[in-house]
Amino acid sequence: MRVIKMLAAILGGTLSVVALSSGFLLCMRGVQARPSGKWEHRIVTGAKHSFLVHSKDLANPLPRTPENIVDGQRNFSHYCFVCHGLDGQNTGVPFADAMSPSVPSLASSEVQTYTDGQLHWIIQNGLWPSGMPASREILTDDEIWSIVTYVRNLPRAGSLGEPQAYTEENSGAGADQLLSPTRRSREPKKRQ
């Protein structure tokens, strides 16, 4: 019994020293936001591709027609452009590289190696650990699939210019511009 009490005292003392040392280091260095390192990035990317993102075998029901790509671009430009730019490659997005983790170009191999089902799952459910929000209650299933189709057929980087939201002449987007086209059509018309 005496040995157990002595081990408990040693363990408690050790934990106290570790906690105090950690607190001291935190006070001295502070909390810092910094870009991820090479290994941290590889580990998180591998985890996302392997077990954080689901629906790997789900197939896109929309064929890759020019009409579906244009529809996907329209839906993308209503919901996704704020973080990914109009072209999906962060053109004109001032904070894309400043976030931690940074906003990836949707043309990158990191994104394009996801299956269509995984891209659908990410758009619908969001993606941790990142700033990618869920669109579950905002976009319909067809709108999400059209965005997946657009992501597979992105235009050349910079070819669509900067989002108006980030230009000087922007007068500010109304809340109705952030709703999906389907949700906007369901909203009651406002009287002037």
Side-chain angles (χ1 to χ4, degrees):
M1 188 63 132
R2 182 183 275 187
V3 174
I4 293 175
K5 285 183 181 181
M6 189 166 58
L7 286 175
I10 291 172
L11 181 61
T14 303
L15 290 176
S16 297
V17 169
V18 169
L20 287 172
S21 299
S22 298
F24 178 73
L25 287 173
L26 183 61
C27 288
M28 295 302 293
R29 292 194 43 122
V31 177
Q32 301 175 358
R34 59 173 177 68
S36 60
K38 179 174 74 170
W39 288 105
E40 182 182 4
H41 181 75
R42 284 183 181 174
I43 290 167
V44 171
T45 299
K48 288 188 290 189
H49 280 271
S50 299
F51 59 89
L52 293 176
V53 177
H54 304 281
S55 300
K56 193 173 196 162
D57 297 327
L58 194 60
N60 189 342
L62 299 178
R64 292 184 188 183
T65 64
E67 296 80 21
N68 286 336
I69 295 168
V70 168
D71 190 40
Q73 180 181 10
R74 185 174 42 79
N75 290 322
F76 186 92
S77 71
H78 290 291
Y79 184 73
C80 310
F81 80 94
V82 174
C83 295
H84 295 287
L86 295 169
D87 58 12
Q89 296 163 71
N90 307 339
T91 300
V93 180
F95 57 84
D97 291 331
M99 291 184 67
S100 182
S102 61
V103 178
S105 166
L106 300 181
S108 69
S109 62
E110 178 182 337
V111 174
Q112 290 294 321
T113 54
Y114 284 115
T115 67
D116 285 357
Q118 287 176 311
L119 289 175
H120 180 277
W121 189 92
I122 291 169
I123 297 167
Q124 185 176 48
N125 298 292
L127 184 59
W128 179 88
S130 76
M132 176 70 186
S135 69
R136 187 177 303 111
E137 301 296 323
I138 299 167
L139 298 173
T140 66
D141 203 47
D142 286 342
E143 289 169 336
I144 293 172
W145 281 119
S146 73
I147 291 171
V148 170
T149 302
Y150 176 63
V151 168
R152 293 294 190 211
N153 297 276
L154 293 171
R156 187 175 37 83
S159 64
L160 301 179
E162 294 185 9
Q164 187 179 1
Y166 300 120
T167 60
E168 289 182 27
E169 61 271 1
N170 177 36
S171 60
D176 64 322
Q177 290 176 324
L178 301 177
L179 293 175
S180 74
T182 306
R183 292 274 306 271
R184 275 201 308 277
S185 66
R186 288 186 241 147
E187 296 290 320
K189 300 287 182 196
K190 296 176 184 169
R191 291 189 176 173
Q192 303 228 358

